[in-house]
Amino acid sequence: MRITVIGCGYLGATHAAAMAELGHEVLGMETDPAKLASLTAGEVPMFEPGLADLLGRHVAGGRLRFTDSYEEVAAFGELHFVCVGTPQRPESLAADVTQVETAITRLAPHLTRPTVVIGKSTVPVGTAERMAGLLTELSPAGADALLAWNPEFLREGYAVEDSMSPDRIVIGVADDRAEKALRDFYATVIDAGTPVVVTDYATAELVKVAANSFLATKISFINAMAEVCEATGADVVDLADAIGYDARIGRRFLQAGIGFGGGCLPKDIRAFVHRAGELGVEDAMTFLRQVDDINQRQRERVVGIVAGMVGELAGARIGVWGAAFKPDSDDVRDSPALWIAGQLHLRGARVRIYDPRANGTAAVAFPTLSYADSAVEACRDADVVLHLTEWPEFREVSPSDLADVVARPQLLDGRNVLDHDAWRSAGWTVRGLGRR
Ligand code: UGA
């Protein structure tokens, strides 16, 4: 099918390339001139495993093109996917849906034939209903310009894999024609056995925020347990292993550490709390505020623990491993690693960071921090080493070699994945979070 993808950031660029891979003809729409130039040249403006190869291949093969013209988009596509960002508003917890509104408002006047516009962005419940009205009102096709909501569940680091073989497809519709169009579009994926949930707009919108809220709750739950473990001499990793064997609970997303970050979980739960308030059901969502608070407290707690380890933060040398919000990503949006590094720096510590991929993005966000070219260099003469993003590369570093490089062999493992016994055997003092 001939489809368009409006907004080629993380979600859009991945969706565009993955759908080209599935055999569709794709036109991506991007208004940012720098991003557009890079995508047109077949280059991905961020790091995501497998994406550069996929996108480059389909741009070269001609199945994937990019434009900044809504007129061209309307003329080209049978289906239009809206993948623009919905960041947190600067003045409140709410999500800013301006980009979604702009996309619909600018596209609609060019829609002269029957078409389906599909929202993939994460939006406050009620947005789709409003956008459907806008679409009918503004497009010459009128009631033949249909809207569907089809949330995306891809994870950074696995974005290509998640797009090509999702674990479910959720379709929110108000018209059977839109459902049929999406079933035809996803036919290969559906035939491969992917479950499909067809529902109304509101449920489709809620599925996305409910999923992210649940994941965030799991993480904050285990991080709260980590604090209790510290107070009792118990071990949170053993605890997570043991409760995780219960299939009703599951071990995934029970990794205690410095907490969750990124462009999705933090802002999605805040926007959900805000929306619940508008809907008069704030009390039902109070726990999500606590999920956010527990998450924030983890970061603050780490700053306090580091202060205790070095004695005096002012002038202390701190080597930091990791700046990205998680491994296999160069994304530093709301990264707990960078937040901690930044706070330590602001309190007078001399912080040196190394991230295998995110030094560049981190330096843009936090130019006053110092960045090293290697894991070992970040630790030279350090009073403490902080392991804050669990890149596999950090597990390869020899604790005994590193002991010769630092001033004091002290490690804080903020992700609880290093081999603490091996580090202790090499003479290090090791702190985890919630560890015995
Ligand atoms: C998240 C969801 O997992 C995706 O399903 C969703 O599509 C996406 O948001 C989105 O809304 O677009 P992502 O932000 O890529 O995906 O990252 P996650 O893998 O969920 O990790 C989020 C954060 O939680 C990271 O900072 C990670 O380090 C942290 N985390 C994760 C933990 O601290 N402990 C865990 O056990 C798992």
Side-chain angles (χ1 to χ4, degrees):
M1 291 168 84
R2 287 159 69 92
I3 67 146
T4 76
V5 175
I6 300 169
C8 290
Y10 219 99
L11 165 59
T14 311
H15 186 61
M19 294 308 110
E21 176 73 4
L22 289 180
H24 300 292
E25 296 280 326
V26 185
L27 179 65
M29 150 94 204
E30 178 52 59
T31 47
D32 179 307
K35 268 194 204 157
L36 178 63
S38 127
L39 291 163
T40 304
E43 286 156 19
V44 183
M46 64 266 182
F47 172 70
E48 176 62 38
L51 184 57
D53 173 52
L54 200 66
L55 190 130
R57 197 150 42 76
H58 290 301
V59 167
R63 210 186 283 160
L64 174 57
R65 292 192 296 115
F66 295 93
T67 181
D68 59 2
S69 153
Y70 276 98
E71 213 172 337
E72 202 181 335
V73 163
F76 180 88
E78 301 164 54
L79 306 179
H80 304 285
F81 289 88
V82 176
C83 295
V84 293
T86 52
Q88 189 179 328
R89 283 184 180 276
E91 76 290 359
S92 80
L93 298 183
D96 182 353
V97 295
T98 311
Q99 292 180 51
V100 177
E101 280 169 4
T102 305
I104 305 272
T105 312
R106 292 193 60 191
L107 174 68
H110 302 289
L111 299 175
T112 50
R113 56 198 163 103
T115 191
V116 187
V117 175
I118 302 119
K120 282 191 101 56
S121 311
T122 303
V123 291
V125 58
T127 307
E129 186 80 53
R130 213 155 49 74
M131 293 304 118
L134 208 55
L135 196 60
T136 318
E137 186 191 319
L138 298 180
S139 60
D144 286 333
L146 303 172
L147 186 91
W149 216 262
N150 169 221
E152 181 61 56
F153 304 100
L154 63 82
R155 298 158 298 168
E156 294 189 18
Y158 301 88
V160 172
E161 193 183 317
D162 287 349
S163 296
M164 306 278 301
S165 31
D167 47 19
R168 78 284 212 189
I169 294 174
V170 176
I171 302 175
V173 283
D175 188 302
D176 294 346
R177 289 175 293 167
E179 177 189 344
K180 177 162 182 336
L182 276 167
R183 281 191 183 272
D184 290 347
F185 175 68
Y186 284 123
T188 356
V189 184
I190 295 171
D191 290 348
T194 308
V196 182
V197 178
V198 179
T199 184
D200 51 79
Y201 291 148
T203 309
E205 292 167 313
L206 279 174
V207 166
K208 175 60 196 262
V209 283
N212 276 359
S213 300
F214 191 80
L215 294 171
T217 303
K218 268 191 110 172
I219 300 169
S220 279
F221 169 83
I222 203 65
N223 282 334
M225 287 300 134
E227 264 191 80
V228 176
C229 286
E230 280 177 24
T232 54
D235 189 281
V236 75
V237 173
D238 290 351
L239 179 108
D241 287 345
I243 62 171
Y245 283 122
D246 183 332
R248 296 170 302 172
I249 296 173
R251 178 65 171 85
R252 296 175 75 188
F253 274 71
L254 285 184
Q255 195 58 37
I258 60 173
F260 57 82
C264 303
L265 260 49
K267 76 132 171 117
D268 286 357
I269 61 168
R270 289 172 197 152
F272 197 12
V273 167
H274 182 90
R275 186 72 184 122
E278 290 175 343
L279 294 166
V281 286
E282 194 172 29
D283 288 353
M285 291 291 118
T286 309
F287 77 97
L288 270 186
R289 280 191 188 277
Q290 291 177 341
V291 166
D292 197 12
D293 289 348
I294 293 168
N295 193 53
Q296 194 56 35
R297 197 166 64 239
Q298 284 302 98
R299 304 174 181 196
E300 283 155 15
R301 239 161 51 77
V302 168
V303 173
I305 292 170
V306 175
M309 288 172 89
V310 295
E312 172 79 63
L313 275 179
R317 290 171 184 265
I318 300 180
V320 171
W321 283 352
F325 84 105
K326 70 179 204 180
D328 284 322
S329 173
D330 62 359
D331 194 343
V332 295
R333 285 176 295 171
D334 208 348
S335 165
L338 197 54
W339 190 96
I340 290 165
Q343 284 297 313
L344 292 167
H345 164 77
L346 293 172
R347 291 183 200 192
R350 287 186 277 172
V351 178
R352 213 141 187 238
I353 305 181
Y354 167 73
D355 187 288
R357 291 283 177 176
N359 271 11
T361 43
V364 171
F366 224 129
T368 49
L369 289 172
S370 151
Y371 296 90
D373 289 335
S374 72
V376 171
E377 274 317 305
C379 303
R380 194 161 295 285
D381 300 324
D383 296 306
V384 63
V385 174
L386 312 185
H387 175 242
L388 300 183
T389 313
E390 67 277 36
W391 287 92
E393 171 176 337
F394 300 138
R395 269 162 268 168
E396 306 301 319
V397 175
S398 152
S400 48
D401 291 353
L402 198 68
D404 297 336
V405 171
V406 295
R408 293 166 70 188
Q410 298 199 90
L411 170 76
L412 182 130
D413 181 6
R415 294 294 184 174
N416 284 334
V417 294
L418 297 176
D419 181 347
H420 294 185
D421 289 342
W423 282 77
R424 287 198 180 101
S425 305
W428 288 74
T429 302
V430 181
R431 269 290 308 249
L433 295 174
R435 303 307 302 276
R436 192 174 293 115

